[in-house]
Amino acid sequence: MNGELAYEVDIVEAFGAQVERACEPRWLIFLERTQRAEAIFTATSPAEAQRYVNSSIERLPPQLYEATAMREQTIESVALLPSWRFRYGGTRN
C-alpha cells in the first residue's frame, strides 16, 4: 500500500512450515539497527511500546473503520506484554 516492493510467500508451500492460525504472545521485542557497533537490550513501558507500534503501522483508509478499531484494541493489548527494545549495529545482509 505504501509503494514499496513486497513479495508474499506461502511458507507452507515454500518451506513446509506448520502454520498456527492463532497464538497468544508472551513478549514483544522491537529490533532496531543502529550505526554504532553495540548490542543493547532495554525494557520498554507499555506506553512506549504502544507509541512505537502506532508510529510503525500503515494507515488504513477511513472505510475500514471496523478493522481500524480492532487493530487499535489489539495494539493496546499487545502493548501490555513485557517488552524490550534490542538495538544493534550490524550489517543489513
Side-chain angles (χ1 to χ4, degrees), residues 33-52:
R33 289 189 190 109
T34 66
Q35 298 298 318
R36 301 175 73 176
E38 61 187 5
I40 300 172
F41 260 108
T42 54
T44 59
S45 70
E48 185 179 1
Q50 189 168 355
R51 271 193 309 275
Y52 190 92

Side-chain angles (χ1 to χ4, degrees), residues 48-63:
E48 185 179 1
Q50 189 168 355
R51 271 193 309 275
Y52 190 92
V53 172
N54 281 328
S55 71
S56 302
I57 58 175
E58 284 193 43
R59 304 293 174 231
L60 295 176
Q63 298 84 349

Side-chain angles (χ1 to χ4, degrees), residues 15-75:
F15 303 108
Q18 180 179 340
V19 175
E20 296 293 331
R21 298 291 173 202
C23 70
E24 189 169 328
R26 293 181 283 168
W27 309 289
L28 188 58
I29 300 175
F30 300 104
L31 177 63
E32 286 186 8
R33 289 189 190 109
T34 66
Q35 298 298 318
R36 301 175 73 176
E38 61 187 5
I40 300 172
F41 260 108
T42 54
T44 59
S45 70
E48 185 179 1
Q50 189 168 355
R51 271 193 309 275
Y52 190 92
V53 172
N54 281 328
S55 71
S56 302
I57 58 175
E58 284 193 43
R59 304 293 174 231
L60 295 176
Q63 298 84 349
L64 298 177
Y65 61 90
E66 288 179 3
T68 300
M70 182 182 294
R71 181 166 75 175
E72 287 173 3
Q73 288 178 339
T74 302
I75 291 169

